[in-house]
Amino acid sequence: MKTAKEALAKSLKTLLQTRSFDEIAVKQIVLDSGVNRQTFYYHFQDKFDCLQYLFFNEARDLIPEQILLSEWKARYLSVFRYLDVR
């Protein structure tokens, strides 16, 4: 089950597909997610904090906890490619 925090981050990710970060307001994130505005501020200080959470979780999914020495370069390059595409 997705938490409110995850739903908010997912909404931000969805909104970023059609507009720039500067064009996105907290109001749009909460409307898209269906989460209360107060709940947004319970989890995040602002939209930048939400973006940081989103990137951290996306990077965590790309890089496992245990990385073989032979794989570390490829794993970190995948994170940089992800950021470059976004």
Side-chain angles (χ1 to χ4, degrees), residues 3-86:
T3 66
K5 192 171 188 175
E6 292 167 339
L8 290 161
K10 182 179 182 225
S11 289
L12 176 57
K13 183 177 180 179
T14 300
L15 292 167
L16 284 169
Q17 293 174 3
T18 58
R19 57 194 82 158
S20 74
F21 182 72
D22 290 338
E23 296 173 324
I24 299 171
V26 170
K27 182 177 181 178
Q28 294 165 307
I29 298 169
V30 297
L31 286 173
D32 184 74
S33 67
V35 174
N36 185 300
R37 189 177 180 97
Q38 281 185 294
T39 304
F40 177 91
Y41 287 108
Y42 174 79
H43 292 290
F44 303 111
Q45 289 183 341
D46 52 27
K47 68 179 187 174
F48 295 94
D49 194 24
C50 185
L51 181 66
Q52 180 181 1
Y53 175 81
L54 172 63
F55 281 155
F56 175 81
N57 285 309
E58 296 280 324
R60 187 189 61 207
D61 292 343
L62 292 171
I63 301 173
E65 286 186 36
Q66 297 291 326
I67 302 174
L68 297 175
L69 185 58
S70 60
E71 295 178 350
W72 76 268
K73 185 177 179 181
R75 294 294 183 162
Y76 281 99
L77 282 173
S78 68
V79 172
F80 294 128
R81 283 189 199 108
Y82 168 82
L83 293 173
D84 184 46
V85 171
R86 304 299 184 256

